[in-house]
Amino acid sequence: MNNLLTASEAFAALQKGKTVLCRYAGDGTLKADKSFSTLDQMPATVFGLPYYEFCIQLETTVLAEITFTKPVEPHDLEDGQVIYIVMPSHILRTTYNSKNGETCLSVGNGFAQLDEENAKLQLQAIGKTFGNMITDIQVIDVTKDKPRGQKGKQTKAEQTLVSEKTCEIIAEAKKPSIVITEQTNVTASEDPLVPDTNDPTLDPEYQKNLDTLLQRVSESKTPDEVNAVYRYTRTWSDKQMEPLLLATHKRLEHLEKEKASANEPPSLMVQIQNAPDLTALDALEIDVAARDPQIQPKLMGYVRKRRYELENPSGSQPEAEHDYLLEEPF
């Protein structure tokens, strides 16, 4: 999604290091451009010319070979701004509220986009990571729902009514003229002393299963082991799935970083210690000269040690034993 900027806003964004795009909007005589271009394709005086539109190029990321814009971050949002939250089974269109804990958590954990298209792409990428192909994605718009404040007032009123009813029952039980001889069943028409709750996450059995699956995710060594936990959650609701989804997402990122780190080439010191012959060692000695002067003496010590080992395969020691270790300490 391209947010149009004025010339002054675009120039300010450019000074902050943002990538600014531009297009000719048309003046009635010339045809307008449909697509945006980088500033190096525009006249140098474009910020002072009329009929030009500007926007900031959004950064993209790739997950499971699907490209989408990077999730929006809290410092880029304003209260009341429309965002799209990526849920496990749908996209939630809502407005950002810095005082809403659930919304802030979704944004902070990287599950919010500024437009519907990229929100769908992110959900498809997450599904593909887990081996699922998501095609039919529902977008639920809650921006026009009744404000949470009204619901809160209603709940508070109900709680007040329950509290008053409880006080009446206690006061009635304390009257000396009343003797309670047996316990009677509470009928459906009577008010409960404690409000009922339909929160599925309060189920002790669910919490026990969740803790077990979270532990298994933290101990998983491969993406397949991480994704295997979803076979036990087929009957869970979206709200029950949220903590497990966040945990698997973080674990998969950690495993991906570990894999990338394992594929990195060995350090120069390790390469010197394992140099197969003098020719390879000479090439590595050239690399040492390009390193920081403070670390060069240390690396040259390893070069001399390896050179001696290659020139004396019998393992005999020189008269001045380990001269290569007499360099200045790093």
Side-chain angles (χ1 to χ4, degrees), residues 111-128:
F111 289 94
Q113 291 281 349
L114 291 176
D115 63 290
E116 179 180 321
E117 178 183 357
N118 282 287
K120 290 182 177 180
L121 289 174
Q122 182 174 345
L123 179 55
Q124 289 175 336
I126 295 174
K128 189 175 180 181

Side-chain angles (χ1 to χ4, degrees), residues 80-84 92-96 140-147:
Q81 186 173 352
V82 175
I83 58 174
Y84 295 80
L92 191 66
R93 184 179 188 272
T94 185
T95 54
Y96 178 71
I140 300 178
D141 190 346
V142 297
T143 57
K144 298 180 181 180
D145 287 355
K146 181 174 65 175

Side-chain angles (χ1 to χ4, degrees), residues 226-282:
V226 174
N227 297 330
V229 299
Y230 287 97
R231 71 181 65 174
Y232 306 104
T233 62
R234 301 185 186 279
T235 60
W236 288 16
S237 66
D238 291 347
K239 188 171 184 180
Q240 290 174 315
M241 285 290 296
E242 283 184 8
L244 186 62
L245 181 61
L246 293 175
T248 55
H249 182 70
K250 291 181 179 179
R251 185 58 180 168
L252 288 172
E253 285 185 344
H254 179 74
L255 293 175
E256 187 68 24
K257 291 179 180 178
E258 285 186 344
K259 181 179 178 182
S261 177
N263 294 330
E264 291 180 355
S267 66
L268 182 56
M269 182 189 71
V270 175
Q271 294 181 57
I272 293 172
Q273 291 175 327
N274 298 312
D277 50 48
L278 292 174
T279 302
L281 187 61
D282 291 338

Side-chain angles (χ1 to χ4, degrees), residues 4 21-25 33-37 42 51-53:
L4 295 182
L21 303 180
C22 179
R23 72 178 176 186
Y24 182 68
D33 295 332
K34 293 183 179 180
S35 60
F36 285 86
S37 302
M42 296 294 171
Y51 310 117
Y52 281 90
E53 295 177 338

Side-chain angles (χ1 to χ4, degrees), residues 117-265:
E117 178 183 357
N118 282 287
K120 290 182 177 180
L121 289 174
Q122 182 174 345
L123 179 55
Q124 289 175 336
I126 295 174
K128 189 175 180 181
T129 302
F130 300 146
N132 300 320
M133 187 62 66
I134 303 176
T135 55
D136 186 16
I137 301 177
Q138 182 183 11
V139 179
I140 300 178
D141 190 346
V142 297
T143 57
K144 298 180 181 180
D145 287 355
K146 181 174 65 175
R148 291 176 176 265
Q150 296 183 13
K151 183 178 179 180
K153 292 180 181 179
Q154 182 181 2
T155 304
K156 185 176 181 180
E158 293 174 352
Q159 292 176 348
T160 302
L161 180 60
V162 170
S163 178
E164 292 176 353
K165 177 63 69 174
T166 303
C167 293
E168 292 176 2
I169 294 175
I170 294 175
E172 187 70 20
K174 288 183 177 180
K175 289 183 179 181
S177 58
I178 297 178
V179 178
I180 300 177
T181 58
E182 63 179 353
Q183 181 178 359
T184 59
N185 295 328
V186 179
T187 63
S189 61
E190 293 177 312
D191 294 330
L193 297 181
V194 180
D196 293 332
T197 177
N198 294 322
D199 189 348
T201 62
L202 298 181
D203 181 6
E205 189 66 24
Y206 157 77
Q207 190 61 47
K208 179 181 178 181
N209 293 335
L210 176 62
D211 293 341
T212 301
L213 294 179
L214 290 176
Q215 180 68 21
R216 181 173 298 183
V217 167
S218 66
E219 297 174 352
S220 297
K221 304 299 182 182
T222 65
D224 289 340
E225 292 180 5
V226 174
N227 297 330
V229 299
Y230 287 97
R231 71 181 65 174
Y232 306 104
T233 62
R234 301 185 186 279
T235 60
W236 288 16
S237 66
D238 291 347
K239 188 171 184 180
Q240 290 174 315
M241 285 290 296
E242 283 184 8
L244 186 62
L245 181 61
L246 293 175
T248 55
H249 182 70
K250 291 181 179 179
R251 185 58 180 168
L252 288 172
E253 285 185 344
H254 179 74
L255 293 175
E256 187 68 24
K257 291 179 180 178
E258 285 186 344
K259 181 179 178 182
S261 177
N263 294 330
E264 291 180 355

Side-chain angles (χ1 to χ4, degrees), residues 289-306:
R291 294 301 175 92
D292 190 288
Q294 293 184 351
I295 199 174
Q296 287 182 19
K298 187 71 172 179
L299 293 175
M300 286 304 299
Y302 287 106
V303 170
R304 281 188 287 273
K305 175 183 178 182
R306 185 55 180 163

